[in-house]
Amino acid sequence: MTGHHPLGEEIQDFADGRLTPARREDLKAHFATCPQCGRELERLRWVKEGTAHLPMHEPPPDLPARVAQALDSEDRRGSHASPLRRYLLPAAGVLAAAAAIVLLVSRGPRDLPSAVGRDFAAFGRAALSLDTASDDGPALERYFARRGLTFRTRVFDLGMMGYGLVGARVHRLAGRSSALFVYRSRDDRTLVCQMFEGTLDELPRGGETRVHDGIEFRVFSEDGVTLVFWTEGSVVCVLVSDGPREDVVQLAYAKAVKV
């Protein structure tokens, strides 16, 4: 890993948690000894953090042309720079263009269902690893507290529903910290839960709104995956699975608590 720099696309995959555990460890070792790549990673995280909290607006019709023009201009100015440096030049124009692209393509924090769905898919293909393996819910709650999460987590006991805990990780979701924990059923089906600070108002229009026992639920489908969101105080909870839609909804009904 020390003989060459990773490509910019791979730095992006590292920041998004899309690499295999082995490749992620390779890049961690490289970033620890390469200040140049470490700076590129921090710039990318800066852009992602900043754009994640911007308000949602419809992009103007000429935005793609303006972004393309800005990138062309920076490419001409940086034509003599290294390939890595051209990928993420620290110039303000490129950072602004990157922010516009993030808003245009990912739609920022209002694309939470897609972001959660991508995390579920990444775990399924082993590109998103767990920090700790445990089937002890209270132990995982203490683990999240030790890792610095400032909100209270509640790791569900789904044993009566046929799901056993696998483990957990402190995660980043749309620019914020989240508690991510995973279950597996007796028939080897995966269920992922995430908890993070926020409100249901951050979710996009669409999906299905249901009310059960005085609690509002928002149900979305993403590429064959069902996502069920609800809030407990200032914490958003979401269950995600590729199992039958109504089964996932009923699991959420069973475990949601009105605060």
Side-chain angles (χ1 to χ4, degrees):
M1 196 63 243
T2 58
H4 66 280
H5 295 294
L7 296 175
E9 291 87 347
E10 199 167 30
I11 296 178
Q12 173 90 48
D13 289 340
F14 180 92
D16 290 341
R18 292 195 295 263
L19 297 177
T20 63
R23 186 57 178 157
R24 185 172 181 83
E25 289 304 313
D26 284 345
L27 263 66
K28 276 186 179 179
H30 180 79
F31 292 140
T33 59
C34 179
Q36 180 181 357
C37 290
R39 287 193 297 270
E40 300 300 341
L41 177 63
E42 287 307 308
R43 289 179 187 125
L44 178 58
R45 285 174 170 167
W46 181 86
V47 171
K48 290 167 66 65
E49 290 279 342
T51 57
H53 298 286
L54 290 174
M56 181 62 187
H57 298 289
E58 285 299 319
D62 64 341
L63 179 60
R66 287 160 51 193
V67 170
Q69 183 179 13
L71 292 176
D72 287 344
S73 175
E74 290 297 334
D75 186 59
R76 288 192 296 271
R77 289 166 54 190
S79 60
H80 299 295
S82 69
L84 177 64
R85 189 161 180 77
R86 287 202 302 272
Y87 178 75
L88 275 180
L89 282 169
V94 168
L95 291 179
I101 291 171
V102 172
L103 284 174
L104 181 64
V105 176
S106 70
R107 299 180 68 82
R110 292 184 182 268
D111 197 31
L112 281 169
S114 292
V116 174
R118 287 193 297 271
D119 288 341
F120 179 85
F123 178 79
R125 63 176 186 271
L128 185 68
S129 60
L130 300 179
D131 295 333
T132 182
S134 175
D135 61 359
D136 186 332
L140 290 181
E141 291 171 358
R142 294 192 294 271
Y143 166 78
F144 286 131
R146 289 197 306 271
R147 288 293 305 274
L149 293 185
T150 57
F151 56 90
R152 182 181 178 184
T153 58
R154 193 166 65 86
V155 179
F156 313 126
D157 180 356
L158 299 179
M160 295 295 291
M161 289 83 168
Y163 284 88
L165 269 169
V166 175
R169 66 178 277 136
V170 173
H171 190 54
R172 296 293 291 175
L173 176 67
R176 74 196 76 187
S177 297
S178 78
L180 184 152
F181 41 103
V182 178
Y183 301 83
R184 188 158 287 122
S185 70
R186 299 187 185 101
D187 59 356
D188 206 32
R189 190 178 294 281
T190 298
L191 176 76
V192 173
C193 180
Q194 289 203 59
M195 294 182 178
F196 53 92
E197 290 184 298
T199 70
L200 295 186
D201 291 339
E202 296 178 72
L203 298 172
R205 294 179 182 177
E208 179 186 1
T209 299
R210 300 192 189 186
V211 177
H212 178 79
D213 286 344
I215 302 172
E216 179 182 343
F217 296 85
R218 299 285 301 280
V219 184
F220 293 85
S221 295
E222 293 277 341
D223 298 324
V225 173
T226 299
L227 308 94
V228 185
F229 292 82
W230 74 95
T231 56
E232 297 185 1
S234 62
V235 176
V236 178
C237 308
V238 54
L239 287 182
V240 192
S241 177
D242 57 1
R245 178 184 177 93
E246 203 58 34
D247 288 358
V248 185
V249 173
Q250 291 302 319
L251 282 171
Y253 286 176
K255 290 303 172 181
V257 171
K258 188 173 182 179
V259 177

